[in-house]
Amino acid sequence: MADNQRKVYMIAGGVTPFKKINFNDDFRLNVKHSLDYALKDSGMKTEDIDGSVSAYFSDHLQGQLIAGAMSNDFIGLAGKPSKRIEGGGATGGLAFQTAYEEIASGTMDTCLAYGFENMSHVGTWRGNDIIALGSDASFDYPLGGFYTAYYALMATRHMYEFGTTEKQMAMVSVKNHGNAMHNPYAQAPMDITVEDVLKSPVVSSPIKMLDICLMSDGAACAILASEEVAKSVSGKPVLIKSIGSSSDTMRLADRPFGKVPLLPNENDSMYRDLKYPGVHSFRAGRLAARMAYRKAGITSPEKEIDFAELYDAYTSAEIQAYEDMGFCPYGQGGKFVEDGRSMLDGDIPVNMEGGLQASGHAIGATGIMQAVYAFWQLQETVHKHLGSNRLQVKNPQRGLIHSHAGTGAYEAVTIMEAV
Amino acid sequence: MGYGRLLKIDPVVVEWNYNIEYRHSYAEDSPFFMALGRGRLLGSKCKSCGFKYGTYRKYCMYCGSETDDIELPLHGKVHSFTTCYYSGETFRGDVPYTLVLVEFPGVDSLFMSRLFINSGEKPEIGMDIVAQFKKFQTFTVNDVYFVPA
Ligand SMILES: [Zn+2]
């Protein structure tokens, strides 16, 4: 199947600043701001776009159904094909992949993927409730289940299985908040220490306030195109080499205790006694990565991936993702951050612009925001878009972006390459 | 919805109450919730492949066959835990509370529940716990909870 697909390129992207509250711009105007930026950057016009994929997570947060159609008419795409993708926190990542499929299949030559969320329409506690409806409404949510608690249950088990520490989790927070200091779009740049994170209020043990991502208002967009179109625009296109996705049970309690799906750089003897995924790891992330690597011909991700945008909704989740993606073996994710390997100057920098922790998490926009940052990295235009070169990875050839829904009920992994 | 209280101008922001009566049917999972009122904790066993589920489900997710109701042992162990000091709005009055994933001997998957524990005591993985049932049924999954055995 891979052979008769057309090549797909990203040719432009834009993000709005992510903010805790933005009452001045509604979702349509946020989308327009991100699109205007992308059009200006690539020299394209709205009429060059064949159709769109819209991404937003929650009708409850939005208070407006069919909000994709409203965005389309606002930005001048009424009359063109469009669909909405929803997949929890992976909404943006999956919408980006859907736009890829529109091009790969030959349905469109140019497709806009855009995502948005306005989480400030409700307070934080109510927001927790609404997001928790993205867990089993009969068996999990009525217990007082909410997402920090679910990820905390996973983190507790990860610590038990592998000896991961709260200090290692805190290092992820320090890294991502610190990186965001150089990103003018970021919601919460912070110069903090491991002690600051450890002393922040416990939300759901072992997860503390500074281990958790933000709730944001914002939008992001990406313009994807066929090879022919990509050649005709100004600016350097980036190849979307492959996409992978997978899913898992909604309820943590239903996760099996089986064998690890191995990557080419792993073998059975590494995980003889590990019952997988249990609740310590994200099987869907591993399977999505395996699919994307297979299609991209990647056999040693730890050597062949130059940087990654990982789904750091919680610091524990970033540590788990190092392992799910095969950047290090299962159980060594804590050591991975401790050794500085995911730092800006590490061998696989992760979340250079601040991730969900500090850049922000406007749910539907997030996966597309990751694609935009990866695009600028691979174009080596970070200085142009973020005002300085501080976050630019040196000579990057290949990047990975990754997002989750639920506790990994859907996951999306996409590989992008410089051309 | 629809009648707003003015929160601010420039831009104009109104706030309204978004409140609905909602009919949530447990449908094929109803036997589980009924059994809690009789002090019984039901799981499921696949008629075809024999997989034993710690959380009730009428059809097997591995082979698609119908399952039989099974009685879960009331004694289990903590597989993982967390204590919540924040929550969703609905459970704001309950914090702090502890959630656990429970493993039962001879059962292939887990069950999520609340653990009630004396202040000063700390939950741990592997801790022996036992199911208790609410005297007055709420017809939610909270009709069962766990305490240290
Ligand atoms: Zn079966």
Side-chain angles (χ1 to χ4, degrees):
Chain A
M1 191 172 118
D3 293 342
N4 55 27
Q5 282 181 3
R6 301 201 304 168
K7 282 187 172 177
V8 182
Y9 294 82
M10 180 163 169
I11 56 173
V15 292
T16 66
F18 281 19
K19 296 178 182 169
K20 185 175 170 63
I21 297 177
N22 180 1
F23 283 143
N24 289 313
D25 309 319
D26 69 6
F27 62 96
R28 302 169 302 173
L29 188 51
N30 271 331
V31 170
K32 182 170 167 56
H33 286 321
S34 72
L35 176 61
D36 286 348
Y37 190 92
L39 291 175
K40 192 173 171 217
D41 190 43
S42 59
M44 294 188 70
K45 294 192 169 59
T46 310
E47 53 263 36
D48 300 329
I49 296 169
D50 293 336
S52 65
V53 180
S54 70
Y56 62 104
F57 162 57
S58 174
D59 298 315
H60 298 293
L61 290 172
Q62 207 50 52
Q64 171 68 61
L65 305 191
I66 323 185
M70 286 181 74
S71 306
N72 285 339
D73 72 51
F74 198 80
I75 59 180
L77 291 183
K80 294 186 176 181
S82 185
K83 55 173 74 85
R84 172 201 179 180
I85 296 295
E86 185 279 312
T91 294
L94 292 169
F96 186 79
Q97 296 192 344
T98 303
Y100 168 98
E101 289 161 349
E102 298 282 19
I103 308 293
S105 65
T107 307
M108 296 183 196
D109 287 318
T110 313
C111 183
L112 172 71
Y114 64 83
F116 58 85
E117 211 78 39
N118 287 74
M119 302 183 72
S120 66
H121 293 185
V122 298
T124 301
W125 292 68
R126 182 64 71 198
N128 282 340
D129 249 353
I130 287 172
I131 296 165
L133 290 174
S135 63
D136 189 301
S138 296
F139 286 92
D140 291 347
Y141 166 68
L143 294 168
F146 71 118
Y147 264 92
T148 308
Y150 303 144
Y151 277 75
L153 287 164
M154 296 189 78
T156 300
R157 191 69 199 187
H158 197 271
M159 292 164 76
Y160 175 83
E161 294 279 348
F162 304 124
T164 310
T165 65
E166 292 177 48
K167 202 173 158 190
Q168 289 168 334
M169 288 162 56
M171 289 172 186
V172 172
S173 174
V174 172
K175 167 177 76 70
N176 294 352
H177 286 96
N179 287 350
M181 300 281 288
H182 311 289
N183 178 4
Y185 292 101
Q187 184 175 335
M190 277 192 245
D191 182 12
I192 49 170
T193 64
V194 165
E195 284 65 39
D196 293 333
V197 182
L198 294 175
K199 277 187 198 147
S200 65
V202 178
V203 174
S204 191
S205 63
I207 294 177
K208 295 159 218 76
M209 207 67 95
L210 286 173
D211 287 306
I212 305 177
C213 66
L214 305 156
M215 292 191 188
S216 312
D217 287 358
C221 80
I223 303 175
L224 275 53
S226 64
E227 186 154 38
E228 203 182 319
V229 173
K231 278 181 182 158
S232 72
V233 296
S234 63
K236 199 167 141 189
V238 161
L239 179 67
I240 303 169
K241 182 71 177 174
S242 68
I243 62 172
S245 65
S246 194
S247 59
D248 211 331
T249 65
M250 178 71 124
R251 294 191 294 242
L252 280 176
D254 290 336
R255 302 277 161 94
F257 295 91
K259 291 183 109 182
V260 179
L262 297 174
L263 295 175
N265 59 342
E266 295 176 325
N267 61 65
D268 261 331
S269 69
M270 294 166 70
Y271 304 126
R272 210 160 273 149
D273 301 319
L274 184 62
K275 295 189 167 52
Y276 189 89
V279 298
H280 54 75
S281 297
F282 295 96
R283 179 173 59 164
R286 167 50 64 100
L287 293 172
R290 193 171 70 164
M291 180 187 286
Y293 292 157
R294 194 174 283 162
K295 288 199 277 185
I298 293 170
T299 54
S300 303
E302 84 285 7
K303 295 197 189 87
E304 295 175 71
I305 303 290
D306 297 327
F307 69 87
E309 296 285 337
L310 300 181
Y311 192 78
D312 60 329
Y314 302 92
T315 52
S316 47
E318 182 173 314
I319 288 174
Q320 289 162 304
Y322 301 149
E323 303 168 354
D324 298 327
M325 300 298 112
F327 296 169
C328 62
Y330 277 109
Q332 293 182 27
K335 193 170 177 300
F336 190 85
V337 65
E338 197 173 327
D339 290 347
R341 295 186 60 193
S342 52
M343 305 292 176
L344 267 184
D345 58 355
D347 59 322
I348 310 181
V350 172
N351 295 332
M352 295 76 60
E353 83 304 327
L356 285 61
Q357 297 263 321
S359 191
H361 189 22
I363 305 177
T366 295
I368 297 170
M369 167 196 83
Q370 293 177 319
V372 174
Y373 288 132
F375 174 70
W376 290 340
Q377 286 288 350
L378 291 163
Q379 276 193 320
E380 298 190 71
T381 55
V382 167
H383 61 284
K384 175 178 166 191
H385 300 289
L386 301 185
S388 91
N389 245 340
R390 283 295 296 270
L391 303 177
Q392 177 69 58
V393 175
K394 280 204 186 71
N395 189 29
Q397 296 304 306
R398 191 181 278 131
L400 176 152
I401 62 173
H402 157 251
S403 51
H404 287 191
T407 48
Y410 302 126
E411 297 204 36
V413 171
T414 298
I415 308 289
M416 296 166 68
E417 287 183 359
V419 289
Chain B
M1 284 169 73
Y3 283 99
R5 178 172 76 88
L6 184 65
L7 272 193
K8 58 182 283 205
I9 55 170
D10 190 27
V12 177
V13 179
V14 291
E15 181 177 68
W16 56 58
N17 197 0
Y18 180 5
N19 189 8
I20 49 173
E21 282 72 48
Y22 189 82
R23 291 160 198 163
H24 182 82
S25 171
Y26 292 121
E28 71 277 7
D29 294 330
S30 296
F32 169 84
F33 292 92
M34 290 304 293
L36 294 180
R38 298 190 295 273
R40 297 168 66 218
L41 184 57
L42 297 185
S44 307
K45 182 183 177 191
C46 177
K47 284 181 197 290
S48 168
C49 74
F51 193 94
K52 283 188 183 171
Y53 292 93
T55 303
Y56 190 85
R57 65 164 64 221
K58 210 59 217 154
Y59 294 90
C60 178
M61 69 173 173
Y62 294 106
C63 72
S65 302
E66 204 175 338
T67 59
D68 286 322
D69 295 0
I70 55 169
E71 195 111 8
L72 291 171
L74 299 182
H75 282 261
K77 285 183 190 302
V78 171
H79 183 79
S80 195
F81 64 90
T82 182
T83 301
C84 307
Y85 299 88
Y86 292 77
S87 71
E89 188 68 43
T90 310
F91 306 100
R92 200 168 182 151
D94 292 7
V95 297
Y97 53 86
T98 296
L99 297 179
V100 286
L101 285 160
V102 188
E103 53 185 51
F104 301 103
V107 177
D108 300 310
S109 67
L110 308 172
F111 180 70
M112 196 187 290
S113 193
R114 281 207 194 176
L115 175 71
F116 287 83
I117 194 166
N118 291 327
S119 58
E121 271 185 289
K122 282 192 70 168
E124 12 177 305
I125 287 176
M127 181 185 242
D128 290 314
I129 51 176
V130 60
Q132 306 282 310
F133 296 89
K134 289 233 173 97
K135 279 209 179 68
F136 299 101
Q137 224 175 331
T138 63
F139 296 97
T140 72
V141 70
N142 291 295
D143 288 341
V144 61
Y145 58 93
F146 284 76
V147 297

